[in-house]
Amino acid sequence: MNCCFAKEGEPTCFTWIGQANTPRLKARYQFQLALVNTITFAILIFCFPALFFTVPALILAVQAVKRFDDGNEEGCIFFVRLSLILNIIGIVVGTVILVVVIIFIIF
């Protein structure tokens, strides 16, 4: 395994979800998105509540990759969808908190 669960012949990093054309690549994309969100929200201490969504999204994305590698494509797709939902909720929560903190700082 290479960077971010990449197998031989797979790209190591994605720039957008359109590059992921298989369930395994979509699971890896969700893993990378959740990893970046988790690191970002961990650095921004006041966005801590967003970690309640991004950390489980990261775990679900890892499970999705493992499910695909075990031959369970339907399980992979299910975990990718759950990870995507949690990532979106985490991004929204983190963004709202960030905007509220910026508004309080300005005023």
Side-chain angles (χ1 to χ4, degrees), residues 48-100:
F48 178 75
L51 292 176
F52 291 114
F53 300 103
T54 58
V55 171
L58 181 65
I59 294 168
L60 287 172
V62 170
Q63 289 299 316
V65 173
K66 290 182 179 180
R67 301 269 178 181
F68 188 84
D69 289 343
D70 292 340
N72 186 357
E73 188 172 330
E74 291 179 11
C76 173
I77 293 170
F78 176 73
F79 279 104
V80 166
R81 288 181 182 157
L82 285 178
S83 178
L84 176 63
I85 291 168
L86 288 174
N87 267 323
I88 290 171
I89 293 172
I91 290 170
V92 169
V93 168
T95 303
V96 167
I97 292 171
L98 186 61
V99 167
V100 169

Side-chain angles (χ1 to χ4, degrees), residues 1-48:
M1 294 265 178
N2 291 329
C3 175
C4 295
F5 300 108
K7 284 189 172 182
E8 192 66 35
E10 288 183 346
T12 54
C13 293
F14 300 102
T15 56
W16 61 292
I17 188 67
Q19 292 177 313
N21 55 3
T22 66
R24 186 177 198 284
L25 293 179
K26 288 179 183 177
R28 287 187 48 232
Y29 175 83
Q30 288 303 321
F31 169 75
Q32 292 173 6
L33 179 65
L35 183 64
V36 168
N37 288 338
T38 302
I39 292 170
T40 302
F41 293 137
I43 291 171
L44 301 172
I45 295 173
F46 46 81
C47 289
F48 178 75

